[in-house]
Amino acid sequence: MTDTLRPPLPVAPDTASDDAAGAPRKLSRSIGVVGGTLLTLSCVTPASSLFVLVPDLFNGLGTATALTIAIVAVICVAVAFCYSELGTLVPSAGGEYAIVGTLAGRFAGWLVFIQSLIVVMVVPSIIALGTADYLAPIVHVDPALAGVGVMLAATVAGLLDLRANAWITGIFLVLEVIAAAVVAFLGFSNSQRGVGSLFHGVVATDGGGSSTVGLTAILTAMGIGLFVTQGFSTAIYLSEELENPRRNVARTVFWTLGISVAVILVPVVALTLGAPDLATLTGGDVSGMVAGWSNSAVGTFISLCIALAIINAGIVMVIQNSRVLFASARDKAWPEPVNRAFSTLNRFNAPWIATLAVGLPGAALCFVTSGLLSEITGVAVTAMYLLVAVGALLSRGAKHKDVPAWRQPLWPVLPVLLIVFLAYVLYLQSVPALVWTGGITAVATLYWLFYLRPRQDTRWVITLPEDEQV
């Protein structure tokens, strides 16, 4: 944890002369691998994914849920290779859009930015809406109001010092891991079926029977499956605040992916083996299964740990997502008054208006039904990964092949396979989710054509920190 306690780096004062000179404000490099991994793990929110998103997978996949997540984990390894290379080649708080925009052109970067913006604005609300279910043992709260409370608390925390938040999220992360470990222990201790059931997908039906889960159903669920593990890639959003990014971005990405997959997958296997019957497993009532295996006190403890994990997720998502808006303003994506607002830093060196722009709309979205939002997010995450894989194909062109960066193995085979697979996953997603995501992308394309493109010299000029120019 010492990496999160380094002395703060000096920050240039926010003077009028700085603004007049047009020099972009820089985030300070004050986070090591440990702090970056804690923040990024908390953005994956393994416990929140386990207890909020995985039950939806149980509903449609039954005993095939663990196998689906394992396949997703393998796909994510290939994705992590791409992110690690590109995140060290183009270290920017803009993340995916800065990478793809630098390598494939500004319009491609803009398309990636829109997909990431969908994720930025929607995911925190989806997670926050799960809070009320896990506060039920001590207090009954309307899910929307509980979600709003979580988002507002996360927004306030996001305005504070980033290194302090690394400690806060680290403490909450310990509680997440404890909760997941207890669920895994109880599930394995009450095993009702053999390991072979993990490879034979069966789901309960409404009439009390069961049906086999086919390969198409598993592939269709990959969109939400990628959403479950998605946060590991957000390590690159911290690349302007990580010390020695050429080395530490890749380490943070892989440590985060490995730990988060373990924290999610092991309890899912335990739940699959320990569920008292197929109907209970398909219902996805994790709290009910925990209470049935133990007693009310343990069930209450687990529920409160999950609620804290959701709050933790909100804090980190607001922190990291605000950096995307900060970087987009620095790159002149908006009219000048908006750019100035989003790039303003407070006394803690946090982009405070960008933080509010993420947190407050997120609170409002807590009044929207989460089902379609989850599907839309799955589409956006899949499309974003696909475009990043395209960027990985271009990462070793003449301009970039000699730049010092972490390099992935099996290039270009892995990016090509990833593109083919993700394109097929997109094809299998629900029509409403594709229509909504496509519609948002179409509107953003019009904004590009009629506002950004005619102003290419002064708008959407993707920049890197001065010490990280490619």
Side-chain angles (χ1 to χ4, degrees):
M1 295 290 285
T2 55
D3 284 352
T4 66
L5 294 176
R6 298 183 187 277
L9 298 181
V11 179
D14 187 11
T15 61
S17 60
D18 290 337
D19 294 337
R25 298 295 308 279
K26 295 174 62 178
L27 300 168
S28 62
R29 296 198 181 281
S30 59
I31 308 175
V33 174
V34 174
T37 301
L38 289 176
L39 286 168
T40 311
L41 270 174
S42 299
C43 200
V44 178
T45 60
S48 296
S49 296
L50 175 62
F51 298 112
V52 177
L53 302 177
V54 168
D56 289 338
L57 292 178
F58 278 134
N59 296 160
L61 298 173
T63 60
T65 300
L67 177 61
T68 302
I69 294 175
I71 295 172
V72 166
V74 173
I75 299 303
C76 285
V77 170
V79 174
F81 279 132
C82 293
Y83 270 90
S84 295
E85 175 166 342
L86 299 180
T88 54
L89 183 66
V90 187
S92 169
E96 294 92 350
Y97 88 75
I99 290 169
V100 176
T102 300
L103 298 173
R106 287 190 285 180
F107 178 60
W110 177 250
L111 294 180
V112 173
F113 172 69
I114 295 305
Q115 307 312 309
S116 66
L117 191 62
I118 293 172
V119 176
V120 161
M121 302 307 297
V122 174
V123 171
S125 305
I126 295 173
I127 298 297
L129 282 168
T131 309
D133 292 339
Y134 296 102
L135 290 176
I138 58 172
V139 62
H140 292 281
V141 184
D142 179 84
L145 294 179
V148 169
V150 169
M151 288 304 304
L152 293 179
T155 302
V156 171
L159 298 173
L160 303 178
D161 180 67
L162 189 60
R163 288 167 290 110
N165 275 317
W167 271 104
I168 295 171
T169 57
I171 294 170
F172 283 178
L173 185 61
V174 170
L175 293 176
E176 287 192 54
V177 174
I178 291 173
V182 171
V183 170
F185 173 78
L186 291 173
F188 287 128
S189 299
N190 293 271
S191 182
Q192 302 294 317
R193 53 190 61 82
V195 175
S197 62
L198 299 172
F199 304 97
H200 180 62
V202 181
V203 63
T205 59
D206 292 336
S210 63
S211 63
T212 301
V213 178
L215 179 60
T216 301
I218 291 175
L219 292 175
T220 301
M222 287 291 170
I224 295 179
L226 290 169
F227 179 17
V228 168
T229 58
Q230 179 264 332
F232 75 91
S233 62
T234 59
I236 64 172
Y237 293 173
L238 298 174
S239 61
E240 288 187 37
E241 294 164 277
L242 281 170
E243 300 166 340
N244 190 8
R246 303 291 187 197
R247 178 182 182 186
N248 290 342
V249 168
R251 290 183 171 188
T252 303
V253 168
F254 280 105
W255 272 111
T256 303
L257 176 60
I259 295 172
S260 61
V261 167
V263 172
I264 294 169
L265 185 56
V266 173
V268 168
V269 171
L271 288 166
T272 303
L273 300 181
D277 52 64
L278 185 60
T280 301
L281 180 66
T282 303
D285 184 6
V286 177
S287 294
M289 284 188 273
V290 170
W293 292 328
S294 56
N295 54 55
S296 59
V298 174
T300 299
F301 171 75
I302 296 300
S303 294
L304 293 180
C305 284
I306 297 166
L308 288 174
I310 293 172
I311 296 171
N312 184 32
I315 293 172
V316 178
M317 287 180 183
V318 168
I319 289 172
Q320 293 190 328
N321 296 343
S322 67
R323 270 58 180 176
V324 178
L325 290 184
F326 170 86
S328 72
R330 182 186 59 198
D331 295 339
K332 308 298 183 183
W334 316 106
E336 194 54 36
V338 179
N339 290 330
R340 284 198 302 269
F342 283 166
S343 59
T344 301
L345 304 180
N346 65 10
R347 62 188 294 264
F348 297 111
N349 209 38
W352 70 276
I353 296 179
T355 300
L356 294 177
V358 171
L360 298 183
L365 283 175
C366 289
F367 294 99
V368 179
T369 304
S370 64
L372 180 59
L373 292 179
S374 295
E375 294 182 356
I376 291 172
T377 304
V379 171
V381 169
T382 305
M384 186 166 59
Y385 284 172
L386 191 155
L387 289 168
V388 168
V390 171
L393 281 179
L394 304 175
S395 64
R396 303 192 190 183
K399 184 179 178 182
H400 307 287
K401 65 180 180 179
D402 296 324
V403 175
W406 187 94
R407 297 295 185 177
Q408 65 175 302
L410 300 178
W411 182 93
V413 175
L414 282 181
V416 170
L417 291 177
L418 198 56
I419 290 168
V420 172
F421 179 81
L422 293 175
Y424 185 64
V425 170
L426 273 180
Y427 170 75
L428 293 175
Q429 299 310 297
S430 70
V431 173
L434 289 170
V435 168
W436 273 101
T437 309
I440 294 170
T441 305
V443 172
T445 299
L446 293 176
Y447 178 79
W448 162 267
L449 290 174
F450 293 105
Y451 182 77
L452 295 179
R453 191 168 182 270
R455 300 168 175 82
Q456 292 191 54
D457 292 337
T458 59
R459 289 290 176 269
W460 198 236
V461 182
I462 298 175
T463 59
L464 298 177
E466 291 180 2
D467 60 335
E468 304 293 351
Q469 295 294 331
V470 177

